[in-house]
Amino acid sequence: MPAADHVSVKSNGTKELSSPQTKKELLRFIICGSVDDGKSTLLGRLLCDSGTVPEDQFEEAGTASRVHGTQGDDVDLALLVDGLQAEREQGITIDVAWRHFETNRRRFIAIDTPGHEQYTRNMVVGATAADLALILVDVRKGILTQTRRHSHIASLMGIRHVILAVNKMDLVGHNAAMFQTISDDYKSFASELKFQDVAAVPISALTGENVCSVCGGIPWYDGPTVLELLETTESHRDNAACGFRLPVQWINRPNPDFRGFSGTVASGSIKRGMPVVVCPSGHTSCVRRIVGPSSDLENAVAGQSVTLVLGDEIDVSRGDMIAAAGSPPNTTDHFAAHLIWLDTQPMLPERQYLARFASACAIARISDLTHRIDVNSLNQLAAKTLEMNEIGYCKISLDRRVPFDPYIENRQTGSFVLIDRFTNATVGAGLIGFALRRGGNVIWQEMKVDKSLRAAAIGQKPCVIWLTGLSGAGKSTIADLLEQKLHALGMHTYLLDGDNLRHGLNRDLGFTDPDRVENIRRVAEVAKLMIDAGLIVIVSFISPFRSERQFARSLLEDGEFLEIFIDAPLSVCEERDPKGLYAKARSGKLLNFTGIDSSYERPECPELHIDTTKLPADEAADAIVRTLKTLR
Amino acid sequence: MREVAAGFQKPVMLYSVGKDSAVMLHLALKAFAPGKPPFPLLHIDTTWKFREMIRFRDEIAERKGFQLIVHVNRDGLERGINPFSHDSVAYTKVMKTEALKQALSNHGFDAALGGARRDEEKSRAKERVFSFRSSEQRWDPRNQRPELWNIYNTQIAPGENVRVFPLSNWTELDVWNYIDREGIPLASLYFAAMRPVVKRAGLHVVVDDDRFPLEPGETPKEMMVRFRTLGCYPLTGAIVSDAATVPEIIMELQRSRISERQGRAIDKDQAGSMEKKKQEGYF
């Protein structure tokens, strides 16, 4: 981003032109607090008193004030910043807004984040970009749950500077003791967090007291105003400690003679001729050319976008990281991380998610949720899942090795997001702690007799026939008939039945969503072993979630997995009710029953769809045998 | 931009001929240098753009070696939709929003790069850098994907697409300083000159061709004016100015207390105007 370094605005609103030579620093800060603490008003005050609000927008806010405002005929400053109509109507800030303003000393981007609990994830988003947190407290209410939560998120996300603005001092007669209590309470709470400094300021956003200037209402406070603190707090983040990092974004190959690797330098600096290592491959080379946007460069530093040409012909692809040879990043497929859950669907351990790192991409699985963190007490609680807005500490396994640095050392190369593989929603934000060594200790043992040899010995092509559907749809009956028919044809088969496995292998699992995910993971792994043994495996499980059926498919080779949807409407299944389970579930004696109080996700494109209200079980089994024959 | 090129099947860059587009074009050339940007340019032509914009557009595309796709909503044109006899809400919907949707779906583009900035207008302040659109091209401000660090979620289902705004965190002044520093060529409409002007609803409207229906007794007056933004000439107000060079414009901006889109009629035609247009699929 270019620096707009010509203009400056004095904090009293008058403008003067500064010399075009002075380059002003940029500070990004997040402004957060609870509903009604006066966040938007404070931001409106900062924008207004620094002279950043254009006249026409000010007039428009004036018009809107008379419709939605709460300040009589005065302009409601919050309306300057609450952009979306829904916010105007409800009087709360929903999304993240980015506001620019500047003073003689600095340029600012104020990141305005939601106070309401259901939008906490937006605060997390804001915090990832911020160097400082401006935390607002209503002097009459003191420190609330939300204040603690926001402080913890800010600390976790690597923000080291905090300004605690104690607002609405005018409503308590500028009471010094009340301010002191809140300030002391907060500092004692924050001492357990990782902040470098916390400054408390008594303010009134409405009157402007101690925001940009001192109005004389609080003579007992002689410290700096909020704006002075914003102007003087140290703003740079030190990522350089871990050395040069360039996540490769794009392979630049305009012609056969040029092959460069483009990306933005995430940390450190590079010089022409410097030795580098490519991760995860570990190949080493040196930098032959640093190609800038218009010409070759001698060196490049963090934040610059460059294309590197290496001295040797080595294989580099998008997702790799080019790093200083002397201080390479870690490379792992198993690590511990803090995870902040952003989605309404809870996090399920063992489910597969897509993980995106600085530029690499991998399939991730949360192998263990170590604990959840109570944001009020910072206590560690036992947990099986994470709901939206919850923070947990987990172990995560990937399907490949990726380069990373611990988040505490490098925010850019130590972070990742998790994406749901079906909805494509961004569901989790992760901060990497350290690599786990498990991956290094368990080594795959190569065997001489393999799947194809075993299959050849019994003369068949192994596969999994996966029957999914509601309880009572007819899976067990059809599975039984199918196995008899295949057996009669001389096939070597095995039938894995949901109920039967729950008597043994899966005895420890219940019917909650996380247990259902683990249930299917085990069955899929067992089926894979049986395929390896050369068998035709019939799996008869409700298997309600698409993700897990997709997981089972992904374990096998193409053509080895046949998804058969045994379909009957819920009303029919309930009427059949062969095991009396629907009656129990309806009367509340059985919880988490699929179709009643636990969901079933219908297959989108199964290899075969059987409607058991139209096709008798015996014909259904024949249809599956025919499908099996045509597919091979 | 490289993230878009690497993460999507068929990206395109929206080119409006304005200063933000000029900066985008310049950045695209830089991002892929010494290679060429792997996407074409798309211009939504309402047929009511300034004549000079069209000349400038064709010249730049040719000089920089971009493939240029120009899309006009033929259906709207045949229905005679124009900014004089239709109000600006209906006109914008048909000739810009609908036209853009047609162009994106006809060509099957799954990512469209645009030059919108968060400082332009209040609802844009909340826009994501990678902004997800449903297969009906709608924007749902309550259901936006969180964006963390510089990691962008480029996963979409077939038929869905994203709008990408690399200049999100730039300000108007950043844009001008960058144009100054890099010497980026612009349409001369940005620079002050004597132009024929009539006053309509508080806007200084420049009469660009003889399709402009003058009221009885109305005669265009020659005035020294320039534009802060470029759009359809009957809907874009000029400002009285004598800033004829980039440094003069920067000086003028520093003294200005009026926001950039103030001359744009379409921002003010309904309450929450831009937010509604964006939900329908306007850029």
Side-chain angles (χ1 to χ4, degrees):
Chain A
M1 187 189 299
D5 47 13
H6 303 297
V7 75
S8 65
V9 181
K10 275 189 177 170
S11 48
N12 62 11
T14 58
K15 284 204 164 200
E16 61 173 18
L17 298 178
S18 64
S19 93
Q21 285 79 30
T22 51
K23 217 176 187 165
K24 272 189 275 182
E25 248 186 335
L26 172 71
L27 179 82
R28 292 172 207 246
F29 67 96
I30 182 167
I31 171 164
C32 45
S34 289
V35 185
D36 298 331
D37 283 346
K39 208 156 40 84
S40 293
T41 309
L42 175 60
L43 187 51
R45 174 60 67 188
L46 281 169
L47 297 179
C48 186
D49 288 3
S50 67
T52 309
V53 181
E55 276 165 16
D56 57 319
Q57 282 184 9
F58 196 79
E59 276 164 28
E60 203 199 322
T63 316
S65 290
R66 287 182 278 281
V67 182
H68 305 287
T70 54
Q71 300 302 325
D73 279 343
D74 287 339
V75 173
D76 187 345
L77 292 173
L79 293 176
L80 284 173
V81 287
D82 282 351
L84 301 183
Q85 276 229 308
E87 291 174 17
R88 289 194 177 182
E89 281 147 20
Q90 297 167 13
I92 55 165
T93 310
I94 292 177
D95 209 307
V96 184
W98 309 75
R99 300 284 161 192
H100 296 255
F101 67 99
E102 61 180 294
T103 65
N104 290 354
R105 288 168 162 175
R106 255 189 191 163
R107 314 174 61 212
F108 299 97
I109 296 181
I111 306 164
D112 185 12
T113 60
H116 201 273
E117 190 164 339
Q118 76 189 97
Y119 296 108
T120 295
R121 61 180 202 159
N122 301 79
M123 190 215 145
V124 171
V125 174
T128 62
D131 301 310
L132 176 147
L134 174 52
I135 295 178
L136 211 62
V137 176
D138 182 333
V139 66
R140 299 167 303 169
K141 295 182 190 155
I143 292 158
L144 304 173
T145 308
Q146 191 84 353
T147 319
R148 294 196 181 91
R149 181 205 300 271
H150 286 168
S151 303
H152 188 221
I153 294 171
S155 163
L156 189 68
M157 302 309 284
I159 294 176
R160 295 291 166 259
H161 309 286
V162 170
I163 300 173
L164 181 75
V166 182
N167 193 19
K168 308 200 181 181
M169 290 302 293
D170 54 316
L171 298 183
V172 296
H174 303 302
N175 188 315
M178 286 176 81
F179 166 73
Q180 202 53 50
T181 310
I182 290 173
S183 166
D184 292 348
D185 282 357
Y186 186 81
K187 284 178 181 168
S188 114
F189 157 74
S191 65
E192 293 179 45
L193 303 177
K194 295 197 182 75
F195 298 135
Q196 258 173 37
D197 47 72
V198 176
V201 189
I203 66 158
S204 165
L206 198 63
T207 65
E209 181 75 70
N210 287 337
V211 178
C212 297
S213 55
V214 180
C215 311
I218 308 180
W220 46 264
Y221 175 80
D222 58 3
T225 63
V226 170
L227 188 67
E228 280 165 2
L229 283 167
L230 289 174
E231 284 179 326
T232 52
T233 304
E234 175 198 1
S235 76
H236 75 281
R237 291 188 228 160
D238 196 7
N239 273 348
C242 56
F244 174 77
R245 302 282 184 265
L246 181 101
V248 176
Q249 219 184 354
W250 178 258
I251 310 298
N252 201 325
R253 256 195 130 161
N255 58 60
D257 302 329
F258 185 93
R259 185 172 156 85
F261 311 109
S262 308
T264 304
V265 181
S267 66
S269 62
I270 186 121
K271 270 201 182 93
R272 205 155 57 83
M274 210 169 96
V276 290
V277 57
V278 179
C279 298
S281 73
H283 293 309
T284 53
S285 184
C286 64
V287 177
R288 190 154 61 86
R289 285 175 66 191
I290 304 173
V291 183
S294 39
S295 61
D296 271 26
L297 307 171
E298 271 306 305
N299 50 49
V301 298
Q304 256 180 300
S305 207
V306 291
T307 299
L308 298 184
V309 181
L310 302 183
D312 306 86
E313 283 281 320
I314 53 175
D315 187 36
V316 180
S317 44
R318 173 174 158 84
D320 288 351
M321 197 174 328
I322 300 178
S327 57
N330 293 295
T331 304
T332 188
D333 59 356
H334 193 52
F335 59 83
H338 277 102
L339 192 62
I340 298 142
W341 203 248
L342 309 170
D343 201 48
T344 48
Q345 295 289 317
M347 181 276 275
L348 297 179
E350 300 300 339
R351 171 166 284 186
Q352 292 191 320
Y353 297 97
L354 190 66
R356 286 211 63 159
F357 298 81
S359 67
C361 227
I363 303 289
R365 180 168 67 80
I366 291 112
S367 55
D368 185 26
L369 175 57
T370 315
H371 58 258
R372 181 167 82 73
I373 294 166
D374 178 338
V375 288
N376 299 324
S377 59
L378 298 185
N379 283 344
Q380 301 177 355
L381 309 173
K384 284 196 148 183
T385 66
L386 290 178
E387 303 283 337
M388 185 157 79
N389 297 328
E390 289 184 342
I391 300 171
Y393 192 66
C394 349
K395 292 174 184 163
I396 294 181
S397 292
L398 306 176
D399 67 338
R400 72 197 68 172
R401 299 171 74 80
V402 297
F404 79 97
D405 294 294
Y407 185 78
I408 203 155
E409 287 172 23
N410 194 325
R411 280 164 91 169
Q412 300 220 39
T413 54
S415 52
F416 64 96
V417 300
L418 292 182
I419 297 167
D420 186 285
R421 296 180 70 200
F422 284 88
T423 64
N424 289 328
T426 305
V427 293
L431 321 172
I432 306 176
F434 52 87
L436 295 165
R437 293 288 162 225
R438 182 210 65 167
N441 294 332
V442 185
I443 294 158
W444 187 260
Q445 195 73 42
E446 288 296 333
M447 306 293 181
K448 291 280 185 291
V449 179
D450 66 4
K451 176 163 69 180
S452 57
L453 287 175
R454 293 187 199 103
I458 47 178
Q460 67 181 21
K461 193 164 177 245
C463 70
V464 170
I465 301 165
W466 189 288
L467 309 185
T468 173
L470 292 172
S471 176
K475 293 185 302 299
S476 298
T477 315
I478 294 171
D480 189 24
L481 287 166
L482 174 62
E483 190 174 27
Q484 292 172 37
K485 286 175 196 288
L486 293 175
H487 188 72
L489 290 170
M491 308 272 200
H492 295 247
T493 58
Y494 195 86
L495 171 56
L496 291 168
D497 180 84
D499 285 343
N500 294 353
L501 258 69
R502 280 183 181 275
H503 288 296
L505 178 64
N506 293 343
R507 188 167 49 196
D508 57 326
L509 299 176
F511 292 89
T512 58
D513 285 359
D515 279 3
R516 285 175 186 277
V517 171
E518 174 61 11
N519 187 33
I520 300 304
R521 188 191 70 83
R522 290 185 196 173
V523 175
E525 292 285 1
V526 169
K528 187 187 173 190
L529 289 177
M530 290 183 165
I531 285 246
D532 213 39
L535 300 182
I536 290 174
V537 190
I538 303 163
V539 175
S540 167
F541 271 68
I542 296 173
S543 47
F545 305 134
R546 271 181 214 127
S547 283
E548 276 59 59
R549 297 193 299 262
Q550 178 62 34
F551 165 72
R553 187 187 289 270
S554 73
L555 287 180
L556 305 175
E557 288 170 26
D558 278 352
E560 282 182 347
F561 185 89
L562 306 181
E563 187 177 23
I564 316 286
F565 182 22
I566 307 298
D567 190 12
L570 181 62
S571 57
V572 174
C573 295
E574 207 170 339
E575 205 171 290
R576 291 177 187 160
D577 205 3
K579 297 166 194 157
L581 296 174
Y582 283 99
K584 274 194 191 169
R586 284 291 182 199
S587 64
K589 287 180 195 145
L590 189 59
L591 293 177
N592 300 321
F593 194 70
T594 302
I596 307 295
D597 56 351
S598 185
S599 63
Y600 180 81
E601 298 167 2
R602 296 166 64 90
E604 275 166 347
C605 41
E607 272 75 10
L608 188 63
H609 182 167
I610 291 171
D611 182 348
T612 59
T613 59
K614 301 211 176 87
L615 205 62
D618 193 61
E619 287 177 35
D622 284 335
I624 298 172
V625 174
R626 278 198 302 277
T627 306
L628 195 60
K629 284 179 178 160
T630 54
L631 284 177
R632 37 203 50 226
Chain B
M1 289 191 195
R2 290 191 294 250
E3 208 57 26
V4 171
F8 294 91
Q9 303 282 330
K10 200 172 175 190
V12 66
M13 180 180 275
L14 274 290
Y15 182 67
S16 74
V17 201
K19 63 180 189 311
D20 303 303
S21 284
V23 168
M24 289 279 288
L25 206 72
H26 192 77
L27 288 171
L29 290 167
K30 283 183 147 195
F32 297 94
K36 272 169 81 173
F39 40 72
L41 301 180
L42 171 65
H43 182 230
I44 301 301
D45 192 352
T46 58
T47 71
W48 291 94
K49 301 292 178 191
F50 292 95
R51 285 168 298 172
E52 195 220 318
M53 287 170 71
I54 303 302
R55 275 197 303 276
F56 184 80
R57 173 195 78 192
D58 295 342
E59 185 196 319
I60 287 287
E62 196 188 318
R63 183 139 47 96
K64 306 285 182 192
F66 276 95
Q67 182 202 343
L68 174 71
I69 300 167
V70 176
H71 183 83
V72 178
N73 185 350
R74 292 282 157 208
D75 174 53
L77 209 59
E78 274 159 28
R79 277 155 56 201
I81 307 284
N82 70 66
F84 299 110
S85 40
H86 297 81
D87 69 46
S88 62
V89 177
Y91 166 75
T92 305
K93 187 165 193 292
V94 175
M95 295 310 287
K96 294 171 114 175
T97 310
E98 294 299 327
L100 175 62
K101 290 202 251 184
Q102 286 170 356
L104 293 181
S105 63
N106 289 353
H107 293 275
F109 293 123
D110 57 357
L113 285 152
R117 307 187 317 270
R118 283 173 176 155
D119 77 324
E120 280 178 77
E121 205 267 345
K122 277 188 302 243
S123 75
R124 284 195 163 158
K126 312 211 163 180
E127 180 70 88
R128 297 289 184 263
V129 177
F130 277 65
S131 182
F132 175 77
R133 300 301 150 105
S134 66
S135 46
E136 289 81 43
Q137 307 274 357
R138 288 186 73 89
W139 181 59
D140 179 1
R142 280 170 184 256
N143 191 22
Q144 298 196 77
R145 290 176 176 177
E147 274 179 359
L148 304 106
W149 302 285
N150 297 321
I151 306 176
Y152 297 107
N153 178 352
T154 55
Q155 301 290 318
I156 55 169
E160 296 170 344
N161 63 68
V162 293
R163 310 275 173 94
V164 187
F165 306 106
L167 302 185
S168 281
N169 287 330
W170 292 39
T171 63
E172 186 184 9
L173 202 56
D174 288 336
V175 169
W176 278 106
N177 281 317
Y178 189 70
I179 288 168
D180 189 27
R181 195 181 85 187
E182 303 281 319
I184 300 171
L186 290 182
S188 69
L189 293 161
Y190 280 110
F191 305 104
M194 294 303 283
R195 295 187 173 96
V197 174
V198 295
K199 271 202 148 187
R200 285 283 167 88
L203 297 183
H204 291 286
V205 179
V206 170
V207 181
D208 194 53
D209 57 33
D210 51 17
R211 290 180 296 176
F212 193 97
L214 293 168
E215 309 272 324
E218 200 176 43
T219 40
K221 203 168 103 192
E222 287 287 321
M223 286 173 77
M224 194 70 172
V225 291
R226 68 174 199 90
F227 291 88
R228 274 180 90 174
T229 64
L230 293 184
C232 299
Y233 83 83
L235 295 175
T236 308
I239 56 168
V240 178
S241 162
D242 48 16
T245 64
V246 175
E248 281 170 18
I249 288 171
I250 291 171
M251 292 289 277
E252 182 183 283
L253 276 178
Q254 290 170 355
R255 296 202 185 87
S256 167
R257 297 272 295 152
I258 304 288
S259 73
E260 173 185 9
R261 290 190 69 89
Q262 186 243 13
R264 297 293 280 263
I266 60 164
D267 289 9
K268 310 238 166 80
D269 46 20
Q270 334 159 257
S273 190
M274 184 57 85
E275 188 177 343
K276 281 184 187 143
K277 288 189 178 67
K278 283 176 68 68
Q279 286 184 16
E280 287 165 0
Y282 181 70
F283 230 80

